[in-house]
Amino acid sequence: QLVPLEAVKALRVFGAPTILISAYDLLPERRPTGIVAELRQIRRNGGFVLVDSGNYEATRREDSSWTPDLFAEAMKGIPHDWAYCFDVMKPSLKPDVAVREITAAIERDRAASKHILPIIHAPRKRLSGYDVQSLPYVVKEVASQTSAPLVAVAERELGSGIIERAKTVQRIRQELDKLPYYLPLHILGTGNPCSIAI
């Protein structure tokens, strides 16, 4: 539970090979003094810096002012290797429309970083929960159309329990394995040790 600058310092000191930092914390007016130098040093030491869209933090704080334009502003001057796009939080229930929405977001955010990765959310069902049936197809299509080197999905949206979530990950992996190259899948927000092991 460290503030962003102290967390980045700790990761640098312990030689973390990869770090994930939120663009939400990098907006110039709240960017911690010294964090750019720390990120630069991590990269000089051979570390890999991945920047998240900031939508998770904005959602948790009920900050509706967080937009793709602010994301782009936050990315200016930030040393990084890859960045996740400003994600489409509520994609269409129609799979092909969802693919178009997500690929459009990736293209838009290439102005903020030339190395933009997709975060793919499951669409919300009309009554409750998430529709995970078409998610594997959407993930594979977005990956295929954007030539992404990595794709991410949010664990909390993959099903109602740990078993259903594991089955959804398995179905996504089966779809991704149809691509002519291996594509890593980043499961965001996996904090339960049992879930990580599965």
Side-chain angles (χ1 to χ4, degrees):
Q1 296 297 316
L2 298 171
V3 295
L5 178 59
E6 297 307 317
V8 168
K9 282 182 181 178
L11 290 166
R12 178 184 53 75
V13 167
F14 287 105
T18 304
I19 72 161
L20 176 67
I21 188 165
S22 175
Y24 190 85
D25 297 317
L26 299 174
L27 198 61
E29 55 263 28
R30 59 179 165 244
R31 183 180 297 172
T33 302
I35 202 160
V36 170
E38 289 291 333
L39 294 172
R40 232 181 242 123
Q41 188 60 50
I42 286 170
R43 294 185 76 218
R44 268 197 297 269
N45 294 346
F48 190 91
V49 177
L50 178 57
V51 182
D52 184 57
S53 70
N55 270 329
Y56 175 77
E57 289 77 14
T59 301
R60 289 204 44 155
R61 294 176 183 179
E62 298 179 354
D63 181 358
S64 59
S65 70
W66 186 244
T67 63
D69 288 340
L70 288 180
F71 166 74
E73 189 179 334
M75 291 299 298
K76 288 179 185 170
I78 296 300
H80 68 284
D81 295 281
W82 290 346
Y84 281 117
C85 73
F86 189 93
D87 27 347
V88 177
M89 300 293 286
K90 296 178 182 176
S92 172
L93 279 163
K94 297 177 181 176
D96 289 320
V97 174
V99 169
R100 286 195 299 275
E101 291 170 339
I102 297 162
T103 56
I106 293 165
E107 286 307 312
R108 174 200 62 219
D109 293 342
R110 287 196 199 279
S113 172
K114 59 183 177 179
H115 301 292
I116 286 288
L117 303 169
I119 296 178
I120 302 166
H121 292 277
R124 284 197 172 271
K125 291 181 181 174
R126 283 179 173 69
L127 298 176
S128 67
Y130 295 92
D131 180 1
V132 296
Q133 292 311 305
S134 63
L135 188 60
Y137 167 81
V138 172
V139 171
K140 184 186 80 127
E141 284 302 304
V142 168
S144 177
Q145 291 182 27
T146 61
S147 300
L150 172 74
V151 292
V153 293
E155 188 205 28
R156 69 187 176 280
E157 299 175 2
L158 300 180
S160 59
I162 196 167
I163 301 302
E164 187 179 347
R165 291 174 181 181
K167 287 179 179 179
T168 302
V169 169
Q170 186 176 40
R171 288 177 44 240
I172 293 170
R173 181 77 266 156
Q174 288 168 345
E175 282 298 303
L176 290 177
D177 287 346
K178 293 176 183 175
L179 294 170
Y181 56 93
Y182 178 77
L183 183 73
L185 178 64
H186 184 175
I187 315 294
L188 296 166
T190 305
N192 180 331
C194 294
S195 180
I196 293 168
I198 290 169

